[in-house]
Amino acid sequence: MAVTTATIGSDDHLSSTFASRYVHAPVPRFKMPEKPMPKEAAYQVISDELMLDGNPRLNLASFVTTWMEPECDKLMMASINKNYVDMDEYPVTTELQDSGISVAHDVVVIDVRNPNRCVNMIADLFNAPVGEGEAAVGVGTVGSSEAIMLAGLAFKRKWQQKRKAEGKPTDNPNIVTGANVQVCWEKFARYFEVELKEVKLQEGYYVMDPEKAVEMVDENTICVAAILGSTLNGEFEDVKLLNDLLAKKNEETGWDTPIHVDAASGGFIAPFLYPELEWDFRLPWVKSINVSGHKYGLVYAGIGWVVWRTKDDLPDDLVFHINYLGADQPTFTLNFSKGSSQIIAQYYQFVRLGFEGYKNIIANCMENAKILREGLENTGRFDIVSKDIGVPLVAFSLKDSSKHTVFEVAESLRRFGWIIPAYTMPADAQHIAVLRVVVREDFSRGLAERLLVHIDQVMKEIDVLPSRICAIVAKVSSNTADQDKVEETVKRSVRNWRKLVEGKRAGAC
């Protein structure tokens, strides 16, 4: 949820052209109206404002799904009034997601006999060691942010329990990550008082270095977080190397530092396109994995998943149970009430597409990303910083940024309707600024070719425009001979650009 502020002034009422057929008085912006209005008027007032939103299909900044089949839309609308948390009332919906958590004899247990569907399918996709007749351990969330919070809490609690049993202090836990992590990891660290130890990036290497990460591990490290599909350039981190290095260190020190894989973007890509890549529960130190159903799981925003290796990796005392909705109901979430629509939509996609269907869709996304990448390379104006193996996206920087910047390119493309983010890399590669195009299922080859035409047009247009940075320098130089002031002005303009995009660099989860 965004934190917003508003200044009440002369522009504190809404007026609608067509809603004037029903109402004549303007609608207050920041106060509830004194009287009701016709439903047609309320619809039209809001509809008029929403017209100014961007087109979701042209929002190439987002990994989040923006199109689903009409049949799935119908299922979602039919279940929009079901509160998922009411498991006793909606047992079939509960089974579609079921976490493998249950209650027996008034004691919360993780019941591996409990039947479930989505969680089991995902665990199987990630090669969880689930025995015959057992159920996987996991839970549906509102996105990977909540999933990461839950996984982090499980790691922290396991670490605390072990430290207490050894008579050691528990007041200084830390997590080791790369500086390229999504902002939800920073949220977890701040909200739950865990130190975030970041492996810095470097030019040309924009993911976590496993060797440097393992060097930073100490007895207070609750886990090392690896990313399967960096938000910045789509690259998969080397989880296999991380596992091997960590196994060696654990053996030498007697620690048992585990790995969490943040597969928000890549979890529904690697199993289909790179089945031989070892990144999941095939690696013994990987204890939990999160994935976003609303990214390449192909469901609208609002669904994520976290799966644990075994029931022993989720401490029992983190699971709560309530009985005031009609029966004993276990719960391990940060929120309580939530809609059922996204869970039903995820199940629809699993049974509708199957393994082959997902593989075909993701392969098509990769092919369209390849077409876009080759088209950008053919211009001779850009360096590609994304990788061939990874998330289907194209991240690219200008070969020459002395006169114009990627921020100007992004701004100019807006007039065609394209929403393409421009941002600087995290520490220690802040001097690298890139554009990124996320290729989703609804981004066709035709759209890719059209985008290339518009990018070429924009580049030709800005070539004949005066450089914004040079213009600033010239203005300052004409007023002063102080070279230090000129340099400071240039630095300030660059800082302002970075400040503009800093809040957007972490992307969506």
Side-chain angles (χ1 to χ4, degrees):
M1 179 181 69
V3 179
T4 60
T5 59
T7 302
I8 310 299
S10 58
D11 193 27
D12 58 354
H13 285 76
L14 294 173
S15 297
S16 176
T17 301
F18 299 107
S20 62
R21 296 186 177 200
Y22 309 102
V23 293
H24 298 286
V27 181
R29 278 182 190 268
F30 307 113
K31 293 175 61 178
M32 185 180 293
E34 293 293 331
K35 297 180 179 180
M37 68 174 66
K39 59 182 183 295
E40 297 87 355
Y43 172 85
Q44 194 64 57
V45 167
I46 298 171
S47 178
D48 287 352
E49 279 208 283
L50 292 178
M51 286 175 58
L52 299 178
D53 270 347
N55 183 339
R57 297 265 315 266
L58 300 183
N59 179 10
L60 306 183
S62 178
F63 292 82
V64 175
T65 297
T66 53
W67 179 86
M68 296 185 73
E69 292 175 323
E71 290 78 7
C72 192
D73 290 345
K74 292 178 183 178
L75 283 173
M76 295 182 73
M77 289 305 300
S79 58
I80 200 168
N81 60 347
K82 292 182 180 179
N83 185 1
Y84 170 74
V85 77
D86 197 343
M87 302 177 188
D88 192 51
E89 184 70 20
Y90 309 118
V92 176
T93 298
T94 300
E95 185 182 323
L96 297 186
Q97 178 255 316
D98 207 303
S99 60
I101 302 172
S102 64
V103 178
H105 304 296
D106 297 325
V107 178
V108 179
V109 297
I110 302 171
D111 186 356
V112 295
R113 300 166 299 171
N114 208 12
N116 56 65
R117 302 189 192 180
C118 284
V119 168
N120 246 23
M121 291 179 183
I122 295 170
D124 179 67
L125 204 61
F126 296 166
N127 295 291
V130 179
E132 187 175 350
E134 295 182 340
V137 179
V139 67
T141 61
V142 294
S144 274
S145 291
E146 184 188 6
I148 285 168
M149 302 284 176
L150 297 178
L153 285 171
F155 283 121
K156 184 179 179 181
R157 184 58 55 90
K158 290 277 289 185
W159 175 82
Q160 289 173 326
Q161 290 173 345
K162 182 182 178 183
R163 297 281 289 182
K164 287 178 181 178
E166 296 172 345
K168 297 178 180 179
T170 61
D171 57 348
N172 193 31
N174 68 69
I175 287 180
V176 176
T177 71
N180 56 318
V181 291
Q182 216 268 355
V183 70
C184 58
W185 284 99
E186 299 174 31
K187 290 181 179 179
F188 169 78
R190 187 178 303 178
Y191 295 167
F192 296 103
E193 298 181 324
V194 176
E195 179 189 2
L196 192 67
K197 299 171 69 173
E198 294 185 339
V199 178
K200 304 303 181 184
L201 310 184
Q202 56 185 326
E203 184 173 352
Y205 196 87
Y206 303 116
V207 292
M208 179 179 70
D209 185 329
E211 293 185 357
K212 293 181 180 179
V214 173
E215 288 175 2
M216 297 175 71
V217 170
D218 58 33
E219 63 178 351
N220 293 319
T221 302
I222 65 174
C223 79
V224 181
I227 303 177
L228 194 77
S230 172
T231 300
L232 301 177
N233 70 343
E235 187 174 352
F236 291 168
E237 293 184 342
D238 193 341
V239 187
K240 176 67 165 60
L241 177 58
L242 176 64
N243 177 86
D244 295 346
L245 294 172
L246 197 56
K248 183 178 179 181
K249 185 161 189 173
N250 284 338
E251 183 179 0
E252 293 172 349
T253 61
W255 304 335
D256 56 359
T257 307
I259 297 172
H260 175 87
V261 179
D262 180 356
S265 298
F268 284 121
I269 294 171
F272 304 109
L273 297 188
Y274 316 109
E276 302 304 318
L277 181 67
E278 294 184 54
W279 63 273
D280 53 18
F281 292 121
R282 285 170 289 182
L283 304 175
W285 287 105
V286 173
K287 302 299 183 181
S288 57
I289 301 172
N290 70 277
V291 65
S292 291
H294 60 219
K295 292 183 181 176
Y296 290 97
L298 308 179
V299 178
Y300 292 138
I303 184 66
W305 304 92
V306 57
V307 180
W308 284 270
R309 183 183 192 86
T310 69
K311 61 185 181 65
D312 295 330
D313 296 308
L314 175 57
D316 291 348
D317 61 353
L318 288 179
V319 182
F320 292 83
H321 71 95
I322 54 96
N323 61 10
Y324 54 78
L325 290 178
D328 281 329
Q329 298 177 3
T331 174
F332 180 43
T333 57
L334 295 182
N335 63 309
F336 190 63
S337 294
K338 68 176 179 181
S340 299
S341 297
Q342 268 70 16
I343 292 170
I344 292 171
Q346 185 73 86
Y347 185 65
Y348 170 89
Q349 294 289 48
F350 285 166
V351 299
R352 163 76 174 91
L353 296 172
F355 190 93
E356 184 177 346
Y358 268 95
K359 182 178 180 179
N360 291 339
I361 289 172
I362 303 304
N364 186 61
C365 290
M366 293 297 291
E367 181 62 26
N368 289 333
K370 179 181 178 182
I371 291 168
L372 181 60
R373 180 176 67 250
E374 291 175 350
L376 291 169
E377 289 175 328
N378 290 339
T379 67
R381 305 291 298 270
F382 302 102
D383 288 320
I384 306 298
V385 300
S386 50
K387 303 297 182 181
D388 293 340
I389 296 178
V391 178
L393 63 78
V394 183
F396 52 103
S397 61
L398 282 170
K399 287 182 179 293
D400 181 7
S401 298
S402 61
K403 295 183 179 180
H404 299 284
T405 68
V406 292
F407 306 103
E408 293 175 65
V409 177
E411 182 181 344
S412 298
L413 286 169
R414 284 260 181 173
R415 80 173 191 271
F416 298 107
W418 302 109
I419 302 172
I420 298 177
Y423 51 88
T424 54
M425 290 292 189
D428 285 328
Q430 304 98 319
H431 58 290
I432 304 297
V434 302
L435 294 152
R436 187 196 67 209
V437 174
V438 177
V439 178
R440 301 186 303 270
E441 180 186 7
D442 57 356
F443 184 76
S444 65
R445 176 170 181 163
L447 287 175
E449 292 171 346
R450 176 59 60 181
L451 174 59
L452 288 169
V453 170
H454 289 159
I455 289 175
D456 182 63
Q457 182 176 337
V458 163
M459 295 304 296
K460 290 177 179 178
E461 291 173 353
I462 65 175
D463 278 344
V464 299
L465 296 175
S467 168
R468 293 184 181 181
I469 292 180
C470 291
I472 295 172
V473 173
K475 181 177 180 181
V476 175
S477 300
S478 65
N479 296 329
T480 178
D482 188 350
Q483 183 63 27
D484 290 340
K485 189 171 182 180
V486 174
E487 293 178 358
E488 176 56 33
T489 300
V490 174
K491 291 179 181 179
R492 186 168 62 250
S493 66
V494 173
R495 286 197 301 269
N496 287 339
W497 274 116
R498 288 176 178 165
K499 183 177 179 181
L500 178 67
V501 300
E502 181 61 27
K504 299 181 180 180
R505 75 166 177 85
C509 197

